[in-house]
Amino acid sequence: MAMVCLSDFEAYAKKYLPKIAWDYFAAGADDCSTRDENILAYKRIRFRPRMLRDVSVVDIRTKILGFEISFPVGIAPTGFHQLAWPDGEKSTARAARAMDTCYIASTYSTCTLEEISAAAPGGLCWFQLYIHRNRTASQQLVRRAEALGFQGLVLTADLPYTGKRRDDVRNGFRLPPHMKVKNLEGAFEVCKMSLLDPSVTWNDIYWLRSLTRLPIIIKGILTREDAELAVQHGVQGIIVSNHGGRQLDEGPATIDALVEVVEAVRGRVEVYVDGGIRKGSDVLKALALGAKCVFIGRPALWGLAYKGEEGLQDVLRILQDEFRLSMALAG
Amino acid sequence: MAMVCLSDFEAYAKKYLPKIAWDYFAAGADDCSTRDENILAYKRIRFRPRMLRDVSVVDIRTKILGFEISFPVGIAPTGFHQLAWPDGEKSTARAARAMDTCYIASTYSTCTLEEISAAAPGGLCWFQLYIHRNRTASQQLVRRAEALGFQGLVLTADLPYTGKRRDDVRNGFRLPPHMKVKNLEGAFEVCKMSLLDPSVTWNDIYWLRSLTRLPIIIKGILTREDAELAVQHGVQGIIVSNHGGRQLDEGPATIDALVEVVEAVRGRVEVYVDGGIRKGSDVLKALALGAKCVFIGRPALWGLAYKGEEGLQDVLRILQDEFRLSMALAG
Amino acid sequence: MAMVCLSDFEAYAKKYLPKIAWDYFAAGADDCSTRDENILAYKRIRFRPRMLRDVSVVDIRTKILGFEISFPVGIAPTGFHQLAWPDGEKSTARAARAMDTCYIASTYSTCTLEEISAAAPGGLCWFQLYIHRNRTASQQLVRRAEALGFQGLVLTADLPYTGKRRDDVRNGFRLPPHMKVKNLEGAFEVCKMSLLDPSVTWNDIYWLRSLTRLPIIIKGILTREDAELAVQHGVQGIIVSNHGGRQLDEGPATIDALVEVVEAVRGRVEVYVDGGIRKGSDVLKALALGAKCVFIGRPALWGLAYKGEEGLQDVLRILQDEFRLSMALAG
Amino acid sequence: MAMVCLSDFEAYAKKYLPKIAWDYFAAGADDCSTRDENILAYKRIRFRPRMLRDVSVVDIRTKILGFEISFPVGIAPTGFHQLAWPDGEKSTARAARAMDTCYIASTYSTCTLEEISAAAPGGLCWFQLYIHRNRTASQQLVRRAEALGFQGLVLTADLPYTGKRRDDVRNGFRLPPHMKVKNLEGAFEVCKMSLLDPSVTWNDIYWLRSLTRLPIIIKGILTREDAELAVQHGVQGIIVSNHGGRQLDEGPATIDALVEVVEAVRGRVEVYVDGGIRKGSDVLKALALGAKCVFIGRPALWGLAYKGEEGLQDVLRILQDEFRLSMALAG
């Protein structure tokens, strides 16, 4: 079977992953409306292609927070990569470095920050964190990440509680016994989402700021009001995200929310977006609407499920080729 | 089979109820457009979720007409509960009391008001009535309800005649011989809808007012004009309802009608809504659009069909959990 | 099988009619978009139901051009009724008289005007005509109809040529040898549509006017411009029609066109509509939008196919009951 | 099987062509949204049919750039006709001449310009060209075409690179060994799209102008901005086209783009459109929106696949009959 577009990887993953893993990665909250809307919203956006421009050279390199990457597609934070491939996040980090782009490692990784960092030294890596009830644990994670050379901190803002993903409830989803949320092993006896602190507010950004010199990127913003608050509280970047449609169902598609966030931010910080990217032309649409870079979640997992590091590189390379072609054809 | 969301109860009921009972509960008028539109209209309403608010404590208790309930979901009046579960409305009343919410008992119950009242003493119960051609019969029902401690009267306004529900006509729907519309046994020899008085007008509210000190809630309002009339005629509450899409087909979805009713009422009386509630987030949408409380009809029957009192509690508990989570995730 | 709504008759006819006859009656032009749009457009129109009005007496009688009918649903002109029932148009005429409504007999009847007239003396019957290249033939038809007591002339304006109905072309549709277009037997050797005169213009209304004292109703108007022309040329009534979607595909649904025609006519002549009526509530919608009466085409044929005169009465009775109920429920 | 409408030819071609050929002709870029939207957009456009106009004579002849054709439907440039029929473009040229219309021969023909020209002497033929990296090759093609009597040059502007057609990638599409892109045999050793020059700009129109006295028609314009540029650079005609949805996916449907192009051009040059024409009424819509003529791509190939020259004539004749009928029925 030829792997021609991202849907081919999706079909492969659906066929070869254990059902419980596929369901976990695919899950959306409630009726999965927002998960699906993320994709549909891209299709509603139409190009106005221009002709007869010199497109013999198409430069797709860009910078995020000053770091140059080979094209404006990074890897969004998702958990439990060992469910997709034995080497887990180590493969992800290697693929990102090989493709010269940014990888946001999740707190809920099945490899430690140390392992991820060692797997791809010199790669551009950010660390995604939640704020835990146990603030000391969060503080330690931040310091570990900074010490290991991670170059950005991504604070997830949309998960005071976990969304209701019906299939996970039906499956009684939990990690297989041989996998661990290794980053949290020292800090907590049991890994439970309820360790997250639902009382976190904007003021906690100041606390986070006091812990580290790394740039702080906030992930999960969907409205102009919250975008304004994010800027006021001094973040360096915003990822417009609805957690892949896994949190509150029936909110906006991220590409639609991007428009109002970009408008509110007025260039004061960089804005990124994740959710629903399935083609190179989706990347172009996001950039045309003001994103500096996009991040892919599920497609990266499908790539891992296909052939680990190599499969993820395939996914990224396809997106890169499609993005370059879209730019040329759109003029 | 895990019962994770209300659709699971629907699937169960469809599978295990006798076809004639399922059809009766599921029936909508004519093409069932309005029945289905009730649900679809909720899906069209989108949240704008806000982040980083302290949602460690989420208070979902509320009051309707001064009575405190544990969360803003009550049980709408529907007929013939013995078709769903042997104990019929007695189970319904018990489940409502156990979950600390309001139950509106229908005139077309298969248990008497006395049985319902005795089944769950101390529970919050309203009585739903029609105005019959035989006004004495209606008067007696009102007095019985008041004497038994029912705390509200719900006048159904949208049934001068019964809507055309095709499946019921095809099935020749009638109650099995061992079930009776017990509340009307003394008053009428035969239970026929045609005993209802199609000449009822707004002035009959005054007549009803003269019979009782109970608050009067009018059910079946769909327009601003009728909402204004209801307020002028002195009702205490309005239930925006289209009878579950069982009366005039191709009228508005209730959640859409709610908006204009709330606007017309301007806070002078409480406004509730029923029809199409299938998730906790639907409850949140209705409240955000001005409803003080919602009522569920068919989902309550599915709960009864699943495990009687216990099944209905499951349904209510799921809605409660989903509602609380939606509030937290929406910020 | 219980015949509960018009779709039941449709299903029956589809099952029991010869395929060539079913296809002929069901056919729409080209992609059948307009045929289907006629129905869909009704579904998009929503009621605003009003409550607590005295609907104990609902009067559904009406008058068209001064003739009283039992309810505002007549029978549109359609051809070849013997394809549906052996007695053909004679059964149609009897059913219309029995239900006390108007029947528009088609030029393309398989019974003569004389037979139709004799089958239901005293019934309200209009005659539908085309203008033929052979004007004498048209003139003779008009005079025959007038002499036989037909009480209106319906001039079809939308058939200068026959629309392209793909299934009829595939089937090589033609009448079985034992059926004839009897009204034209004297006038033409062979019955071919091409005998119709495509050069007919508005001035020919004056010519028609000169032949008869009967009221002239023009059928096939879809725009305000043509409605104005029709009034100026002295017709007594307008039937908004797209020939059941059998002529130009992808024009407007008739219920949508009705609005602009009614607006243009400003009450100067009566306006009727056909196409897409499937429920009593459709009739109410058409009347609410300004039609004085509606006409049914295919549903009448389904009734004939079911049980001849009796089946057509069933269809009319169902529409009548549904219409009366809709009026009551809409307040 | 009767060939009644263009879909019949499509079904035939899908059934009888080799899969690799069918896929190549059917292919759209990426998700094929634009390919399908080309058709859907026509369905959204509605007629306002007028009645009682003298339509006994309907003249459908027209002129494009001064050349008279029998009706406003020409044959768009498409490649590799031998994939559909052994005689390839020779049959196409003959059918076009037989039906007295215009054929735009593609650079990627499987017959030489000389063969095409000789196959149908006296027919109206334009030549479609790309600008190659090797300008001399392009220049030679232009001179050959002019010398052979081609009467127009169609410059394709929307293919700096080939769009991503997934099925072609999966199939590893290439011409069978016995077919050649004969026009380029002298000029290039291997036929590869990458021979096209992606650095072409508007100024190259002047270069093209300097090579030939033939009228230049630019194909692939979708925006008012580019339409204005085309006029300013002195082209004689514009073909609104998205390459059958084979280049940038998710741009506008051509019939929608036509409106803005016609508006921008304000009659200064002729405007044509291709893409999505499936019925005679589509032609009428395009003309009503300002096109002087339409061109058909895939339907011509289906006609060839059916019966070569004769099949293509069938396709054109059906379109002609449908177009004439639509004109008459629309008044």
Side-chain angles (χ1 to χ4, degrees):
Chain A
M1 181 187 178
M3 305 310 267
V4 173
C5 59
L6 268 54
S7 311
D8 294 335
F9 293 83
E10 181 177 19
Y12 182 96
K14 184 164 189 179
K15 192 166 169 190
Y16 289 102
L17 279 182
K19 176 175 162 34
I20 200 170
W22 166 261
D23 281 355
Y24 173 75
F25 292 142
D30 293 338
D31 290 331
C32 301
S33 303
T34 297
R35 180 194 66 180
D36 299 340
E37 182 68 7
N38 274 352
I39 294 174
L40 294 171
Y42 275 103
K43 293 190 192 295
R44 285 193 296 262
I45 299 169
R46 298 268 148 191
F47 290 110
R48 303 189 74 245
R50 300 297 303 274
M51 301 302 145
L52 295 186
R53 298 179 165 197
D54 180 347
V55 291
S56 53
V57 178
V58 178
D59 182 9
I60 60 173
R61 298 193 68 81
T62 190
K63 282 186 182 178
I64 51 174
L65 296 182
F67 305 107
E68 188 164 322
I69 52 180
S70 66
F71 78 122
V73 176
I75 298 176
T78 51
F80 311 151
H81 290 196
Q82 286 189 358
L83 286 174
W85 189 254
D87 258 12
E89 289 80 5
K90 288 184 284 184
S91 292
T92 316
R94 284 186 210 115
R97 190 185 55 177
M99 289 298 293
D100 194 7
T101 190
C102 176
Y103 165 39
I104 310 179
S106 164
T107 290
Y108 287 96
S109 294
T110 41
C111 302
T112 61
L113 290 180
E114 288 74 12
E115 290 170 323
I116 294 169
S117 172
L124 175 59
C125 226
W126 293 350
F127 175 61
Q128 173 272 336
L129 82 158
Y130 298 103
I131 296 182
H132 297 89
R133 291 185 200 268
N134 179 344
R135 295 285 166 116
T136 315
S138 293
Q139 183 173 341
Q140 285 169 354
L141 278 170
V142 170
R143 300 228 160 117
R144 269 167 73 194
E146 187 164 4
L148 287 164
F150 284 81
Q151 289 157 297
L153 277 181
V154 175
L155 176 69
T156 294
D158 60 2
L159 205 134
Y161 302 96
T162 306
K164 181 170 179 175
R165 303 153 197 175
R166 293 176 186 170
D167 283 344
D168 287 350
V169 181
R170 286 186 222 287
N171 293 336
F173 173 77
R174 56 202 323 274
L175 282 184
H178 61 287
M179 296 185 202
K180 302 265 180 273
V181 183
K182 288 193 178 170
N183 286 320
L184 303 178
E185 278 192 304
F188 311 101
E189 213 145 302
V190 186
C191 163
K192 297 207 305 183
M193 284 300 177
S194 59
L195 299 177
L196 303 185
D197 186 350
S199 75
V200 170
T201 66
W202 288 101
N203 284 328
D204 291 292
I205 305 267
Y206 297 131
W207 170 77
L208 195 59
R209 181 75 293 159
S210 73
L211 300 181
T212 177
R213 278 182 249 154
L214 292 179
I216 295 173
I217 301 100
I218 189 163
K219 172 170 174 282
I221 300 304
L222 292 167
T223 59
R224 68 173 64 83
E225 295 87 345
D226 280 349
E228 180 61 38
L229 285 169
V231 173
Q232 286 172 10
H233 286 81
V235 304
Q236 274 67 51
I238 292 173
I239 304 181
V240 175
S241 172
N242 52 31
H243 218 107
R246 295 161 81 86
Q247 289 295 101
L248 184 67
D249 199 25
E250 299 180 352
T254 49
I255 190 65
D256 293 336
L258 174 69
V259 176
E260 77 174 73
V261 168
V262 164
E263 201 176 87
V265 161
R266 299 195 314 275
R268 291 173 289 171
V269 303
E270 294 190 354
V271 181
Y272 320 112
V273 66
D274 70 17
I277 298 281
R278 296 295 178 267
K279 296 185 296 185
S281 57
D282 296 337
V283 182
L284 180 55
K285 288 176 181 179
L287 266 63
L289 294 172
K292 190 83 166 108
C293 175
V294 310
F295 292 90
I296 56 170
R298 293 184 185 94
L301 295 162
W302 305 333
L304 281 181
Y306 177 56
K307 279 193 190 169
E309 174 185 342
E310 195 185 327
L312 176 46
Q313 285 187 54
D314 289 347
V315 162
L316 288 167
R317 206 172 292 115
I318 285 174
L319 272 180
Q320 199 175 57
D321 291 344
E322 289 182 348
F323 173 61
R324 190 187 289 112
L325 180 58
S326 295
M327 282 194 66
L329 295 184
Chain B
M1 180 187 178
M3 304 310 267
V4 173
C5 59
L6 268 55
S7 311
D8 295 334
F9 292 84
E10 181 177 18
Y12 182 97
K14 185 164 189 178
K15 191 165 170 191
Y16 289 103
L17 279 180
K19 177 176 161 35
I20 199 169
W22 166 261
D23 280 354
Y24 173 75
F25 292 142
D30 295 338
D31 290 330
C32 302
S33 302
T34 297
R35 179 194 66 179
D36 298 339
E37 181 69 7
N38 274 352
I39 294 174
L40 293 172
Y42 275 103
K43 292 190 194 294
R44 285 193 296 262
I45 299 169
R46 296 269 148 191
F47 290 110
R48 303 188 75 245
R50 301 295 305 272
M51 300 302 145
L52 294 187
R53 298 179 165 198
D54 180 350
V55 292
S56 53
V57 178
V58 178
D59 183 10
I60 61 173
R61 299 193 68 81
T62 190
K63 282 185 180 177
I64 50 173
L65 296 183
F67 305 108
E68 188 165 320
I69 52 179
S70 66
F71 78 122
V73 177
I75 297 176
T78 51
F80 311 151
H81 290 196
Q82 285 189 359
L83 286 175
W85 190 255
D87 259 12
E89 289 80 3
K90 288 184 284 187
S91 292
T92 316
R94 284 187 210 113
R97 191 185 54 175
M99 291 298 293
D100 194 8
T101 190
C102 175
Y103 165 39
I104 308 179
S106 164
T107 290
Y108 287 96
S109 293
T110 41
C111 302
T112 60
L113 289 181
E114 288 74 11
E115 290 170 322
I116 294 169
S117 173
L124 175 59
C125 227
W126 293 351
F127 175 62
Q128 173 272 335
L129 81 158
Y130 298 102
I131 296 181
H132 296 88
R133 292 184 198 270
N134 177 346
R135 296 287 166 113
T136 314
S138 292
Q139 183 172 340
Q140 285 169 354
L141 276 171
V142 170
R143 300 229 159 116
R144 267 167 76 192
E146 185 163 7
L148 285 164
F150 283 81
Q151 289 157 297
L153 278 180
V154 175
L155 177 68
T156 295
D158 60 2
L159 205 135
Y161 303 96
T162 305
K164 180 170 180 176
R165 303 154 198 174
R166 293 175 185 170
D167 283 344
D168 287 350
V169 180
R170 286 187 221 286
N171 293 336
F173 174 77
R174 57 202 324 271
L175 282 184
H178 61 286
M179 296 184 201
K180 303 261 179 277
V181 182
K182 287 193 177 170
N183 286 320
L184 303 178
E185 279 194 302
F188 310 102
E189 214 146 301
V190 185
C191 162
K192 298 206 305 180
M193 282 300 176
S194 59
L195 299 176
L196 303 185
D197 186 350
S199 74
V200 169
T201 66
W202 288 101
N203 285 328
D204 292 292
I205 305 267
Y206 297 132
W207 170 75
L208 194 61
R209 181 76 292 159
S210 74
L211 300 180
T212 177
R213 278 181 248 155
L214 291 179
I216 295 173
I217 301 99
I218 190 163
K219 173 172 173 282
I221 300 304
L222 291 167
T223 59
R224 67 173 63 83
E225 294 88 345
D226 280 350
E228 181 62 37
L229 285 169
V231 173
Q232 287 172 10
H233 286 80
V235 303
Q236 274 68 50
I238 292 173
I239 304 181
V240 174
S241 172
N242 52 30
H243 218 105
R246 296 160 80 86
Q247 289 295 102
L248 182 68
D249 199 24
E250 300 180 352
T254 50
I255 189 66
D256 292 336
L258 175 69
V259 175
E260 77 174 75
V261 167
V262 163
E263 201 176 87
V265 161
R266 299 194 312 276
R268 290 173 289 170
V269 303
E270 294 189 355
V271 180
Y272 320 113
V273 66
D274 69 18
I277 298 281
R278 296 295 178 267
K279 296 185 295 185
S281 57
D282 296 337
V283 182
L284 179 55
K285 288 176 181 178
L287 266 65
L289 294 173
K292 190 82 166 108
C293 175
V294 308
F295 291 90
I296 56 169
R298 292 184 185 94
L301 294 161
W302 304 334
L304 281 181
Y306 176 56
K307 278 193 190 169
E309 173 184 345
E310 197 184 327
L312 176 46
Q313 285 187 54
D314 289 347
V315 163
L316 289 166
R317 205 172 292 116
I318 285 174
L319 271 180
Q320 199 174 56
D321 291 344
E322 289 182 347
F323 173 60
R324 190 188 288 112
L325 180 59
S326 295
M327 283 194 67
L329 296 183
Chain C
M1 181 186 177
M3 305 309 267
V4 173
C5 59
L6 268 54
S7 311
D8 295 334
F9 292 84
E10 181 177 18
Y12 182 95
K14 185 164 190 179
K15 191 165 169 190
Y16 290 102
L17 280 180
K19 177 174 161 33
I20 199 170
W22 166 260
D23 280 354
Y24 173 75
F25 292 142
D30 293 337
D31 290 330
C32 302
S33 301
T34 297
R35 179 194 68 179
D36 297 340
E37 182 68 8
N38 275 351
I39 294 174
L40 293 171
Y42 274 104
K43 292 191 193 295
R44 284 194 296 264
I45 299 169
R46 296 269 148 192
F47 290 111
R48 301 188 76 245
R50 302 295 305 274
M51 300 301 145
L52 296 186
R53 297 178 165 200
D54 181 349
V55 291
S56 53
V57 179
V58 178
D59 183 9
I60 60 174
R61 297 193 70 81
T62 190
K63 282 185 180 176
I64 50 174
L65 296 183
F67 306 107
E68 187 164 323
I69 53 179
S70 66
F71 78 122
V73 177
I75 297 176
T78 52
F80 309 152
H81 289 197
Q82 285 188 359
L83 285 175
W85 191 255
D87 259 12
E89 289 79 4
K90 288 184 283 185
S91 291
T92 316
R94 285 186 210 114
R97 190 184 55 175
M99 290 297 294
D100 193 8
T101 190
C102 174
Y103 166 39
I104 309 178
S106 164
T107 291
Y108 287 96
S109 294
T110 41
C111 302
T112 60
L113 289 180
E114 289 73 12
E115 289 169 323
I116 295 169
S117 172
L124 175 59
C125 228
W126 294 351
F127 174 63
Q128 174 272 335
L129 82 158
Y130 298 102
I131 297 182
H132 296 87
R133 291 185 198 270
N134 176 346
R135 295 289 166 111
T136 316
S138 293
Q139 182 173 339
Q140 285 168 355
L141 276 171
V142 170
R143 300 232 159 112
R144 266 166 77 193
E146 186 164 6
L148 286 163
F150 283 81
Q151 290 157 298
L153 278 181
V154 175
L155 175 69
T156 294
D158 59 3
L159 205 134
Y161 302 96
T162 306
K164 180 169 180 176
R165 303 153 197 174
R166 295 176 185 169
D167 283 345
D168 287 351
V169 181
R170 286 187 220 286
N171 293 336
F173 173 77
R174 56 200 325 270
L175 282 184
H178 61 287
M179 296 186 202
K180 302 263 180 275
V181 182
K182 289 193 178 168
N183 286 321
L184 303 179
E185 280 192 302
F188 310 102
E189 212 144 304
V190 185
C191 161
K192 297 208 306 181
M193 284 299 177
S194 59
L195 299 177
L196 302 186
D197 185 351
S199 74
V200 170
T201 65
W202 288 102
N203 285 329
D204 292 292
I205 305 267
Y206 298 132
W207 170 76
L208 194 60
R209 179 76 293 158
S210 74
L211 300 181
T212 176
R213 278 182 248 153
L214 290 180
I216 295 173
I217 301 99
I218 188 162
K219 173 170 174 282
I221 299 304
L222 291 167
T223 59
R224 67 173 65 82
E225 295 86 346
D226 280 349
E228 181 61 37
L229 285 169
V231 172
Q232 287 172 9
H233 285 80
V235 304
Q236 275 67 51
I238 291 172
I239 304 182
V240 175
S241 173
N242 51 31
H243 219 106
R246 296 160 80 87
Q247 289 296 101
L248 183 67
D249 199 24
E250 300 179 352
T254 49
I255 189 66
D256 292 336
L258 174 69
V259 176
E260 77 174 74
V261 168
V262 163
E263 202 177 88
V265 162
R266 298 194 315 274
R268 290 173 289 171
V269 304
E270 294 190 355
V271 180
Y272 321 112
V273 66
D274 69 18
I277 298 280
R278 295 297 178 266
K279 296 184 296 185
S281 58
D282 296 336
V283 182
L284 179 55
K285 287 176 181 177
L287 266 64
L289 294 173
K292 189 85 166 103
C293 176
V294 308
F295 291 90
I296 57 170
R298 293 184 184 92
L301 295 161
W302 304 333
L304 281 181
Y306 177 56
K307 279 192 188 169
E309 172 184 345
E310 195 183 328
L312 177 46
Q313 285 188 55
D314 289 347
V315 162
L316 289 167
R317 205 172 291 117
I318 285 174
L319 271 181
Q320 199 176 57
D321 290 346
E322 289 182 349
F323 173 60
R324 190 187 287 113
L325 180 59
S326 294
M327 284 194 67
L329 296 183
Chain D
M1 180 186 178
M3 304 310 266
V4 174
C5 58
L6 267 54
S7 311
D8 294 335
F9 292 84
E10 181 177 19
Y12 182 96
K14 185 165 189 177
K15 191 166 169 188
Y16 289 102
L17 279 181
K19 177 175 160 35
I20 200 169
W22 166 261
D23 281 354
Y24 173 74
F25 292 143
D30 294 338
D31 290 330
C32 302
S33 301
T34 297
R35 179 194 67 179
D36 299 339
E37 183 69 7
N38 273 352
I39 294 174
L40 293 172
Y42 275 103
K43 294 190 190 295
R44 285 193 295 263
I45 299 169
R46 298 267 149 192
F47 291 110
R48 303 187 75 246
R50 302 294 306 273
M51 301 300 144
L52 296 186
R53 299 179 163 197
D54 181 347
V55 291
S56 53
V57 179
V58 178
D59 182 10
I60 61 174
R61 297 192 70 79
T62 190
K63 282 185 181 176
I64 51 174
L65 296 183
F67 305 108
E68 187 164 322
I69 52 179
S70 67
F71 76 123
V73 176
I75 298 177
T78 51
F80 308 153
H81 290 196
Q82 285 189 358
L83 285 175
W85 189 254
D87 259 11
E89 289 79 4
K90 289 184 282 185
S91 292
T92 316
R94 285 187 209 113
R97 190 186 54 176
M99 291 297 295
D100 193 8
T101 189
C102 175
Y103 164 40
I104 309 179
S106 165
T107 290
Y108 287 96
S109 293
T110 41
C111 302
T112 60
L113 290 180
E114 288 73 12
E115 290 170 323
I116 295 170
S117 173
L124 175 59
C125 227
W126 293 350
F127 174 62
Q128 173 272 334
L129 83 157
Y130 298 102
I131 296 182
H132 297 87
R133 292 184 198 269
N134 178 345
R135 295 287 166 115
T136 315
S138 293
Q139 183 173 341
Q140 286 169 354
L141 277 171
V142 169
R143 300 231 160 113
R144 267 167 76 193
E146 187 163 2
L148 286 164
F150 284 80
Q151 289 157 298
L153 277 181
V154 175
L155 176 68
T156 295
D158 60 2
L159 205 133
Y161 302 97
T162 306
K164 181 170 179 176
R165 304 153 196 174
R166 294 175 185 170
D167 283 345
D168 287 350
V169 182
R170 286 187 222 288
N171 293 336
F173 174 77
R174 56 203 322 273
L175 282 184
H178 60 287
M179 297 185 201
K180 303 264 180 272
V181 183
K182 290 192 177 171
N183 286 321
L184 303 179
E185 279 192 304
F188 310 100
E189 209 145 305
V190 186
C191 162
K192 297 207 304 182
M193 284 299 177
S194 58
L195 299 177
L196 302 186
D197 185 350
S199 75
V200 170
T201 65
W202 288 101
N203 285 328
D204 292 292
I205 305 266
Y206 298 131
W207 170 76
L208 195 60
R209 180 75 293 159
S210 74
L211 301 181
T212 177
R213 278 183 247 153
L214 291 179
I216 296 173
I217 302 100
I218 189 162
K219 173 169 174 281
I221 300 304
L222 292 168
T223 59
R224 68 172 64 81
E225 295 87 346
D226 280 349
E228 180 61 38
L229 285 169
V231 173
Q232 287 172 9
H233 286 79
V235 304
Q236 274 67 52
I238 291 173
I239 304 182
V240 175
S241 172
N242 52 31
H243 219 106
R246 295 160 80 87
Q247 288 296 99
L248 183 66
D249 199 25
E250 301 180 352
T254 49
I255 190 65
D256 293 335
L258 174 69
V259 176
E260 78 175 72
V261 168
V262 164
E263 202 176 87
V265 162
R266 297 194 315 274
R268 290 172 289 170
V269 303
E270 294 190 355
V271 181
Y272 321 112
V273 66
D274 69 18
I277 298 281
R278 296 295 179 267
K279 296 184 297 185
S281 57
D282 296 337
V283 182
L284 179 55
K285 288 176 181 178
L287 266 64
L289 294 172
K292 190 85 166 100
C293 174
V294 309
F295 292 90
I296 57 169
R298 293 185 184 93
L301 295 161
W302 305 333
L304 281 181
Y306 177 57
K307 279 191 190 172
E309 172 184 344
E310 194 183 329
L312 176 46
Q313 285 188 54
D314 289 346
V315 162
L316 288 167
R317 205 172 292 115
I318 285 175
L319 271 180
Q320 198 175 58
D321 290 344
E322 289 182 349
F323 173 60
R324 190 187 288 111
L325 179 59
S326 295
M327 282 194 66
L329 296 184

